[in-house]
């Protein structure tokens, strides 16, 4: 076959230099046609769109053509031609076809219209579908948007450890990391497992958050963000929870809770705008396929400022709804942790736009949050989104050494894990704030997908760690 340098389909479909010899490589989506001429829809993952390859059967070997089945991988040399029937500007009149890889007839993606549940069982192949091609291109774009946003604002990308000895959120939902022989565990005289002979000489786990180390960095570099994998061993089989997810955690010295809310709102709007500007074809495809209100919803969050109100006010609104006959699965009272049904009621039914809820009861929030004067609440903020519920959780941090120490004590957090964190409050403490955005929750919102398992390539959930 003649050597012509490859053009990606995304670029090829923009070209108008008809008559030029081109080469494309990709996987066959469909092949149809008559005895004289065949049409192959070829996709190379660079765009949701296929290029149409027109094959004049008289010019090709019949045996070779038999191997051009759905899923086969081809290299095609041909002439770029103006298209009338393909739905694209350009198509290719094939001159030479090389089959790089034939496709076994057990290929599970023969037909269109597989369910998302079925596609989860073949997660190793699902990136080849239109839907997952779109989702994973958008996922890439959101990562670039996030780095661009923070870089332009002068934030330093700071890498926090994945293996840790501390439980930042204090919820005890950690996966342990050990090299100990689980069949032959050494125990002390009280029957407790000893860790002095383990790899790190202490008990360690996968991190639930990079925040504590992020705070160390913010009180040195001023403004930082983390962006990495996060692990939670919570047994929540919901469409919004993963055991392994990615989190973005900015942390900023001298920011108070209002600055923190401003940053969160600007940040998330930037990401949504980026998706509309840079992923238009993929977003449009998902809008048509799964969620006819997707684009409207994306544009909707950009239009108006987010509502900001206190947890106490939020509870009052929810109690009023209950009084008027609205039924929730979980009880509503001051002090209750909000379930996503409550969060979504505030966002979707009451305000009809995103809500930032602040000043939660200290009992339902982590030890590090700044304590309010009232002695009951902390300067927490959760950003609540339509269809999602909580998309961001954050707070102003307790900067006072003694108050923080009391809280650590009250919550029975082992001091041996926290001495280095407390040092920030001893050595030039300062007001500071930060938050965590769940990357996959953002992707749920931007793609309109309904299940978090469908926005990460290889989901990890209870009883599921295949691929
Ligand atoms: O609210 P969370 O637990 O907050 C923290 O971890 C803080 N240390 C963040 C900070 O202030 N730096 O988690 C933050 C976000 C949630 O709002 C949610 O979007 C996401 O992380 N998240 C999850 N996403 C998927 N699966 C899970 N199991 C998640 N748990 C939290
Ligand atoms: Mg939270």
């Amino acid at each position: 076959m003649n050597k012509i340098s490859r053009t990606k389909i995304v670029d090829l479909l923009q070209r108008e230099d008809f008559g030029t010899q081109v080469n494309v490589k990709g996987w066959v989506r469909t092949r149809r046609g008559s005895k004289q001429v065949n049409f192959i829809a070829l996709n190379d993952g660079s765009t949701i769109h296929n290029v149409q390859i027109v094959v004049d059967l008289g010019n090709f070997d019949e045996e070779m053509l038999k191997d051009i089945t759905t899923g086969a991988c081809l290299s095609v040399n041909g002439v770029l031609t103006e298209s009338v029937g393909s739905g694209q500007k350009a198509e290719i009149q094939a001159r030479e076809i090389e089959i790089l890889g034939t496709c076994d007839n057990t290929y599970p993606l023969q037909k269109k219209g597989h369910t998302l549940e079925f596609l989860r069982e073949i997660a190793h192949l699902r990136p080849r579908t239109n839907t997952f091609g779109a989702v994973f291109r958008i996922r890439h774009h959101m990562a670039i948007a996030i780095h661009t946003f923070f870089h332009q604002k002068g934030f330093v990308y700071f890498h926090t450890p994945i293996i840790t000895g501390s439980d930042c959120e204090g919820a005890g939902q950690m996966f342990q990391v050990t090299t100990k022989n689980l069949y032959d565990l050494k125990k002390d005289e009280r029957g407790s497992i000893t860790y002095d002979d383990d790899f790190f000489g202490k008990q360690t786990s996968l991190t639930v958050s990079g925040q504590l180390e992020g705070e160390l960095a913010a009180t040195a570099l001023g403004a930082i963000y983390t962006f990495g994998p996060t692990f939670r061993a919570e047994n929540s089989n919901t469409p919004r929870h993963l055991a392994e997810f990615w989190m973005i955690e900015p942390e900023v010295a001298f920011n108070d809770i209002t600055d923190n809310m401003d940053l969160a709102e600007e940040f998330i709007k930037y990401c949504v705008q980026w998706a509309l500007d840079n992923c238009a074809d993929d977003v449009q495809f998902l809008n048509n396929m799964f969620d006819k209100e997707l684009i409207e919803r994306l544009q909707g969050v950009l239009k108006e400022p987010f509502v900001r109100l206190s947890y106490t006010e939020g509870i009052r609104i929810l109690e009023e709804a209950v009084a008027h006959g609205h039924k929730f699965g979980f009880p509503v009272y001051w002090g209750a942790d909000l379930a996503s049904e409550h969060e979504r009621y505030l966002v979707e039914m009451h305000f009809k736009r995103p809500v930032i809820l602040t000043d939660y009861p200290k009992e339902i929030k982590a030890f590090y949050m700044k304590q309010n004067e009232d002695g009951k609440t902390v300067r927490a903020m959760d950003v609540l989104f339509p269809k999602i519920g909580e998309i961001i959780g954050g707070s102003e941090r307790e900067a006072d050494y003694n108050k923080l120490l009391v809280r650590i004590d009250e919550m029975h957090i082992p001091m041996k894990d926290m001495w280095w964190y407390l040092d920030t409050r001893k050595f030039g403490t300062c007001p500071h704030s930060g938050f965590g955005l769940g990357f996959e929750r953002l992707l749920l919102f931007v793609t309109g997908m309904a299940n978090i398992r469908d926005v990460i390539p290889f989901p990890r959930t209870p009883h599921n760690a295949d691929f």
Side-chain angles (χ1 to χ4, degrees), residues 169 232 337 343 365 368-369 381-382 390 392-394 436 441:
E169 295 304 302
R232 300 214 177 160
D337 210 352
E343 297 169 339
K365 289 293 182 186
Y368 51 70
M369 295 191 180
M381 57 164 235
D382 278 10
E390 178 189 341
I392 282 178
R441 299 255 176 111

Side-chain angles (χ1 to χ4, degrees), residues 367-371 397-411 415 421-427 429:
F367 74 94
Y368 51 70
M369 295 191 180
K370 184 175 170 66
Q371 297 158 37
R397 316 308 187 187
E398 183 51 78
D400 182 280
Y401 178 83
N402 290 313
K403 284 187 187 167
L404 190 56
L405 200 60
V406 168
R407 200 74 193 119
I408 286 177
D409 197 45
E410 280 172 358
M411 296 176 81
M415 263 308 283
Y421 179 71
L422 278 160
D423 270 2
T424 53
R425 275 58 166 177
K426 282 203 298 204
F427 305 143
T429 190

Side-chain angles (χ1 to χ4, degrees), residues 309-321:
L309 87 161
S310 70
Y311 167 92
T312 302
E313 273 296 295
I315 289 289
R316 202 187 49 73
I317 293 167
L318 293 170
E319 281 175 338
E320 227 162 72

